[in-house]
Amino acid sequence: MLRIAGTVNDSIVDGPGIRFSLFVQGCPHHCPGCHNPTSHDFAGGKEADASEILAQIGRNPLLDGVTFTGGEPLCQAEALLPIARALPAMGLNLWIYTGYVLEDILRDPPPGALELIGLADVLVDGPFILAERSLELTYYGSRNQRLLDAKASLKAGRAVLWKP
Ligand code: SF4
């Protein structure tokens, strides 16, 4: 069962176009200055069913894509897989925000994380670092973070930057 902090049906800040943003509950990173500190507690938030989330997504005909953010999506990768697998047939792309760095994920992946990243279009990686914060960045908060081509990065076994 998925544990979520909440959803936004029409986000324009978590990737291109109009997006359904799913904020998962629970994050081990505790970045100082985190935009969403109430999402850190793994026992907080509420339980959610993948099929209900998919039904919610399907009810919005204006969506361009879905974004998994949080919280730390890769801590619930296995529970997110059914949603990620259904998106291509719905014509929706997938962005995932993670506080982990790709190189660490490749070395020691959380359960289900590699399959989930393989279903994504873009992986925004790295923790939020307050000293690296910039308001000029589009779709992410601090300069250390990267917009990665998820499938190409997995295939190459190294970071491949996303080209819009
Ligand atoms: S990874 Fe994201 S949700 Fe987790 S503490 Fe850092 S900024 Fe907050």
Side-chain angles (χ1 to χ4, degrees), residues 27-31 34-37 39-40 70-72 98-99 126-128 145:
C27 181
H29 303 298
H30 301 287
C31 310
C34 169
H35 63 291
N36 198 3
S39 70
H40 294 182
E72 174 51 72
T98 178
F128 173 71
Q145 294 170 317

Side-chain angles (χ1 to χ4, degrees), residues 117-146:
I117 293 169
L119 292 165
D121 294 278
V122 172
L123 181 74
V124 186
D125 84 331
F128 173 71
I129 299 178
L130 199 50
E132 300 277 325
R133 177 176 179 236
S134 169
L135 297 176
E136 288 166 14
L137 305 171
T138 308
Y139 304 139
Y140 58 112
S142 62
R143 286 187 203 88
N144 60 295
Q145 294 170 317
R146 302 174 292 186

Side-chain angles (χ1 to χ4, degrees), residues 19-91:
R19 313 189 65 80
F20 183 95
S21 293
L22 174 59
F23 292 82
V24 307
Q25 182 70 29
C27 181
H29 303 298
H30 301 287
C31 310
C34 169
H35 63 291
N36 198 3
T38 56
S39 70
H40 294 182
D41 181 1
F42 281 92
K46 57 186 178 190
E47 288 193 336
D49 186 69
S51 55
E52 281 169 24
I53 300 273
L54 278 169
Q56 223 179 313
I57 293 169
R59 282 195 290 273
N60 184 348
L62 301 177
L63 290 175
D64 296 292
V66 170
T67 297
F68 296 160
T69 183
E72 174 51 72
L74 296 190
C75 288
Q76 297 192 61
E78 288 175 316
L80 289 168
L81 280 171
I83 301 173
R85 287 189 194 118
L87 296 180
M90 300 168 82

